[in-house]
Amino acid sequence: MLSGEPYDCADKELITRWHRAKQLQKMYADTPSDDAPRLAAILDELLGSHGKNVWIAAPFFVDYGENIHIGNNVEINMNCVFLDCNEITIGDFTGIGPGVHIYAACHDTDPAKRLPEHSTFWKSMSAPVRIGRNVWIGGGSIILPGVTIGDETTIGAGSVVTHDIPSRCIAAGNPCHVIKKL
């Protein structure tokens, strides 16, 4: 899965890990927002790694959680979806608006290639997503597999990020493109 090769989502080990992530994200959502020690303990178990002063507003949805790596002083607003079938890395001092979706998973566009032989799920592929330091991702944005967003960049609300965006710029749109260099 992490190599980017096609994989079977119905693999027993993956399904077990997926179910555990669902249990942890429910526990996180059910924990009072002012119970910082409990929230941090759940994130310790759910995420691959996270720095200090990480705030994730519930609800927060993941595939596995363990492939998400978050730096220090990061804020993630509510209703975000992170399909972490590959690594999702978020740099220090980054803010992610509500309803942002980050997809490190995808399926082949050829219908015949995505059909499974002995599975109830389509064949899947993945590619890492990397978000730099001091980045702001506006609400409702979608970031596709394999994308890197450079440091100190702002992505406008509702953008669909289909390719890499450089550092120190403002980018927006569908597809997302650089509007202004800083």
Side-chain angles (χ1 to χ4, degrees):
M1 179 172 77
L2 295 176
S3 72
E5 296 292 320
Y7 65 94
D8 181 3
C9 297
D11 175 82
K12 185 175 179 162
E13 180 184 346
L14 290 178
I15 289 288
T16 299
R17 290 159 54 189
W18 187 88
H19 284 297
R20 181 61 182 149
K22 299 304 165 268
Q23 293 166 351
L24 290 166
Q25 71 189 25
K26 183 174 184 339
M27 290 169 49
Y28 190 85
D30 292 343
T31 299
S33 59
D34 61 354
D35 189 349
R38 177 79 177 129
L39 292 170
I42 295 168
L43 289 181
D44 286 345
E45 192 172 346
L46 177 61
L47 301 178
S49 65
H50 68 87
K52 296 178 183 177
N53 302 316
V54 170
W55 174 257
I56 301 174
F60 172 62
F61 304 98
V62 302
D63 266 335
Y64 303 101
E66 64 196 54
N67 298 315
I68 300 170
H69 304 279
I70 301 173
N72 296 308
N73 304 302
V74 171
E75 181 180 349
I76 299 170
N77 212 323
M78 66 187 89
N79 288 316
C80 289
V81 176
F82 291 6
L83 301 185
D84 64 308
C85 298
N86 208 309
E87 288 191 345
I88 296 174
T89 305
I90 300 168
D92 296 343
F93 299 101
T94 289
I96 296 179
V100 169
H101 289 207
I102 301 175
Y103 303 147
C106 61
H107 307 285
D108 201 300
T109 56
D110 179 343
K113 290 182 180 176
R114 67 178 169 246
L115 288 176
E117 292 176 30
H118 305 288
S119 174
T120 56
F121 299 104
W122 282 354
K123 292 178 187 175
S124 297
M125 298 176 295
S126 69
V129 173
R130 293 180 171 77
I131 299 172
R133 184 179 194 278
N134 195 16
V135 171
W136 176 23
I137 309 292
S141 293
I142 298 171
I143 302 169
L144 296 183
V147 166
T148 295
I149 297 173
D151 296 342
E152 300 179 335
T153 285
T154 297
I155 303 295
S159 294
V160 179
V161 187
T162 61
H163 61 275
D164 292 354
I165 301 294
S167 296
R168 298 198 40 79
C169 69
I170 298 170
N174 180 4
C176 188
H177 61 280
V178 174
I179 294 171
K180 177 181 176 182
K181 294 185 180 185
L182 303 176

